[in-house]
Amino acid sequence: MEENRQVFEVDEDAYGGMNVHIKESMDSIKFIALLRASISQWTNQGKKGVWIKLHIEYAHLVNDAVKEGFWYHHAEATYLMLVYWIPQTPHTIPANASHRVGIGALVINDNGEVLVVQEKNGTFKGTGVWKLPTGVVDEGEDICDAAIREVHEEAGIKAEFVELLAFRQSHKSFFGKSDLFFVCMLKPLSYNIQKQDSEIEGAQWMAIEEYAAQPFIKKHEMFNKIAEICLAKKENKYNGFSKVLMTSAFSTKRTYLYYSQNS
Amino acid sequence: MEENRQVFEVDEDAYGGMNVHIKESMDSIKFIALLRASISQWTNQGKKGVWIKLHIEYAHLVNDAVKEGFWYHHAEATYLMLVYWIPQTPHTIPANASHRVGIGALVINDNGEVLVVQEKNGTFKGTGVWKLPTGVVDEGEDICDAAIREVHEEAGIKAEFVELLAFRQSHKSFFGKSDLFFVCMLKPLSYNIQKQDSEIEGAQWMAIEEYAAQPFIKKHEMFNKIAEICLAKKENKYNGFSKVLMTSAFSTKRTYLYYSQNS
């Protein structure tokens, strides 16, 4: 019994990984003693991966874990996840998140006009380019919902998701991470623009042809192709992917599958 | 001149962010002195975000940075990125990567058979379910290339990308992160299966109808829908997204846009 009190409490996952969650402050001496005793016991038990989730308030233990052979797996604002692999074989630790996800919203009104904005910051600042509303998909947010949210935030327009038109994958867009950008078509449910002042310089309804004819758009192959898709969509000559809510017999998760329903 | 030697060397980014990259070992006393002098100077200069990229060998400085008000932005195996916001306004630090990206490969041969595998580990271990080859997209890897790589790794089959058929977004799939899973259709360029022994229990060509009729597939709405798309694709009654390489006047980046070319 005495010996059991000297190892960390853990949750064991389905892959034999031991998950340590430090819940109380401790000094390096106690942390290292517990860690060594725990690893020793788990080695004897044939365990494999060891995860330590260290809240930022326990940052003083990061160096101790690293000195014991742990490395970094990922971090969020309030914690650092460290990982260690017990066997002599190559580790099978899953990869960290690799992509940021963004959306662009094509909102076409009944007059065949598209909602466009000018941004106060970023690449297009001061260029006079009118662009589709864009934004980053929040953690845990559906792509379709992110498009609706950004259109409402940037221009005060309520809208509903119609179709996913296209997407782009690019690399090394920030800190070596990759980027997925989804162009979503939305149907507006309101028409009076109320632009957000902090990020948006201007917002208006513009003829799609005028949007597509901007020199910046014409010069840039991808923007030009997306503009062509917008023009085709206005004429009902393009079919993207619909979103369909999927249920599962195995979990209560709500998951969207995006696929073509017009083929 | 003396004063200048007491602040960190930095790269300034386009958003006024100061990027500190610690390149030599130092003790806490020197690190804290440099950090305080740097922040003081940058505050006077009206700078905003401060980034410190700390290699894992400098883990002893993590706690010092946290005590000075830094928090975690992200981490990879060999480094931790810390961040600090100088102004009194809410920060506009960009979000961390939020999604892991995976692929499933639909490889159909000239006999209308699909390449299927049984895995040695994971959810389907020991279930007897034959599934499409799947895998995780590496950092910096194109979705189309990941599908080709996984099919070759798991079954020794060479193939080329044809079309993106559908994708699924799900949430809280690991460590609270989200997941994007892309179903890619490939055309096989070789036919003799050589399965990978470490991860794959079995691999074979199977009639698509037989694949689709598996009770596990029928019971699970999303697998069933994907199987329906596979059957439709075999009959040429489904149009997904093609990949088209885009060039840019503004950078040398190669970027794929995925969209419908059959509308």
Side-chain angles (χ1 to χ4, degrees):
Chain A
M1 289 299 287
E2 193 58 31
E3 266 198 356
N4 281 340
R5 298 211 326 251
Q6 295 176 345
V7 301
F8 284 120
E9 277 183 41
V10 287
D11 295 321
E12 185 166 355
D13 64 35
Y15 296 87
M18 309 306 276
N19 294 277
V20 179
H21 195 159
I22 309 290
K23 286 171 187 159
E24 59 181 60
S25 190
M26 61 181 77
D27 62 19
S28 288
I29 292 168
K30 183 177 179 192
F31 177 75
I32 293 170
L34 276 169
L35 190 53
R36 289 182 181 171
S38 302
I39 298 281
S40 172
Q41 184 182 96
W42 299 333
T43 304
N44 291 335
Q45 291 170 346
K47 304 300 182 188
K48 296 180 173 175
V50 181
W51 302 85
I52 299 179
K53 184 175 181 175
L54 266 187
H55 193 276
I56 194 166
E57 67 180 295
Y58 308 138
H60 61 288
L61 302 175
V62 171
N63 194 39
D64 298 321
V66 170
K67 282 194 286 190
E68 296 298 314
F70 280 73
W71 69 91
Y72 304 148
H73 186 267
H74 68 278
E76 295 296 328
T78 59
Y79 76 86
L80 175 62
M81 184 71 84
L82 294 122
V83 68
Y84 180 77
W85 186 249
I86 294 175
Q88 297 302 308
T89 54
H91 79 74
T92 57
I93 301 290
N96 192 0
S98 55
H99 285 64
R100 195 160 53 170
V101 179
I103 57 88
L106 174 70
V107 189
I108 303 181
N109 69 17
D110 291 341
N111 299 327
E113 295 168 322
V114 61
L115 179 67
V116 290
V117 298
Q118 283 184 345
E119 292 176 351
K120 285 192 174 171
N121 300 297
T123 317
F124 298 98
K125 179 182 174 179
T127 58
V129 171
W130 291 96
K131 57 185 282 294
L132 303 181
T134 56
V136 175
V137 177
D138 289 335
E139 190 166 294
E141 185 178 36
D142 283 309
I143 289 163
C144 48
D145 293 337
I148 291 168
R149 176 180 55 74
E150 287 289 349
V151 165
H152 190 253
E153 282 179 10
E154 295 193 356
I157 297 291
K158 287 181 188 169
E160 64 184 15
F161 181 87
V162 177
E163 211 175 57
L164 191 126
L165 299 179
F167 70 91
R168 176 211 67 189
Q169 187 190 22
S170 60
H171 302 299
K172 296 199 181 298
S173 63
F174 73 118
F175 304 125
K177 296 288 180 175
S178 300
D179 193 274
L180 279 160
F181 179 79
F182 293 88
V183 183
C184 301
M185 183 178 176
L186 305 185
K187 180 177 184 294
L189 302 174
S190 70
Y191 301 90
N192 289 323
I193 291 171
Q194 290 181 295
K195 79 176 180 69
Q196 185 201 51
D197 284 333
S198 63
E199 289 177 28
I200 302 299
E201 186 65 40
Q204 64 169 326
W205 295 105
M206 177 186 264
I208 296 186
E209 293 74 11
E210 191 181 342
Y211 163 75
Q214 293 179 93
F216 173 84
I217 303 280
K218 302 295 285 183
K219 251 195 316 207
H220 193 297
E221 188 178 6
M222 192 175 59
F223 285 105
N224 195 40
K225 174 50 70 182
I226 290 172
E228 281 177 25
I229 292 170
C230 295
L231 285 165
K233 193 67 211 176
K234 183 192 167 191
E235 308 287 330
N236 263 323
K237 288 179 179 163
Y238 183 85
N239 291 319
F241 284 175
S242 304
K243 77 167 162 71
V244 180
L245 189 62
M246 296 282 145
T247 56
S248 165
F250 308 100
S251 85
T252 55
K253 272 195 200 175
R254 290 160 45 94
T255 296
Y256 284 112
L257 186 69
Y258 294 78
Y259 62 95
S260 173
Q261 290 195 305
N262 298 293
S263 299
Chain B
M1 290 298 288
E2 191 60 30
E3 268 198 353
N4 281 339
R5 297 217 320 259
Q6 294 176 343
V7 302
F8 283 120
E9 280 184 38
V10 287
D11 295 321
E12 186 167 355
D13 64 37
Y15 297 87
M18 310 306 278
N19 294 277
V20 180
H21 194 158
I22 310 290
K23 285 171 185 158
E24 59 181 55
S25 190
M26 61 182 76
D27 62 19
S28 287
I29 292 167
K30 183 177 180 192
F31 177 75
I32 292 170
L34 277 168
L35 190 52
R36 288 182 182 171
S38 303
I39 299 281
S40 172
Q41 185 180 99
W42 300 332
T43 303
N44 291 335
Q45 292 171 347
K47 304 301 183 188
K48 295 179 174 175
V50 181
W51 301 86
I52 300 179
K53 184 176 181 175
L54 266 187
H55 194 277
I56 193 166
E57 67 180 293
Y58 308 137
H60 61 288
L61 302 175
V62 171
N63 194 40
D64 297 320
V66 170
K67 281 194 286 190
E68 295 298 314
F70 281 73
W71 68 91
Y72 304 148
H73 186 269
H74 68 276
E76 295 296 327
T78 59
Y79 77 88
L80 175 63
M81 184 70 84
L82 294 122
V83 69
Y84 181 77
W85 186 249
I86 293 175
Q88 298 302 309
T89 53
H91 79 74
T92 57
I93 302 291
N96 191 1
S98 55
H99 284 65
R100 194 160 55 170
V101 179
I103 57 86
L106 175 70
V107 191
I108 302 181
N109 69 18
D110 292 341
N111 299 326
E113 295 167 322
V114 60
L115 180 66
V116 290
V117 298
Q118 284 184 344
E119 291 176 352
K120 284 191 173 172
N121 300 297
T123 317
F124 299 98
K125 179 182 176 181
T127 59
V129 172
W130 290 96
K131 57 186 281 296
L132 303 181
T134 56
V136 175
V137 176
D138 289 336
E139 190 166 294
E141 185 178 37
D142 283 309
I143 290 164
C144 49
D145 293 337
I148 291 168
R149 177 181 53 75
E150 287 288 348
V151 163
H152 190 252
E153 282 179 11
E154 294 193 356
I157 297 292
K158 288 181 187 168
E160 65 184 14
F161 181 86
V162 178
E163 210 176 57
L164 191 125
L165 299 180
F167 70 89
R168 176 211 66 190
Q169 186 189 23
S170 60
H171 303 299
K172 297 200 179 299
S173 63
F174 73 117
F175 303 125
K177 296 287 181 178
S178 300
D179 193 275
L180 279 160
F181 179 80
F182 293 88
V183 183
C184 301
M185 185 178 173
L186 306 184
K187 180 177 184 296
L189 302 173
S190 71
Y191 301 91
N192 288 323
I193 291 170
Q194 290 181 296
K195 81 177 179 68
Q196 184 200 53
D197 284 332
S198 64
E199 289 177 25
I200 303 298
E201 186 65 42
Q204 63 170 326
W205 295 105
M206 178 187 264
I208 295 186
E209 293 76 8
E210 192 182 342
Y211 163 74
Q214 293 179 96
F216 174 84
I217 304 281
K218 302 297 283 184
K219 252 194 312 206
H220 192 297
E221 189 179 5
M222 191 174 61
F223 285 105
N224 194 41
K225 174 51 69 182
I226 291 172
E228 281 177 26
I229 292 171
C230 295
L231 285 165
K233 194 68 210 175
K234 184 193 167 190
E235 308 287 330
N236 263 324
K237 289 181 181 163
Y238 183 87
N239 291 320
F241 284 175
S242 304
K243 76 168 163 73
V244 180
L245 189 63
M246 296 281 144
T247 56
S248 164
F250 309 99
S251 86
T252 56
K253 270 196 201 176
R254 291 161 43 94
T255 295
Y256 284 113
L257 186 68
Y258 295 78
Y259 62 95
S260 174
Q261 290 196 307
N262 298 292
S263 298

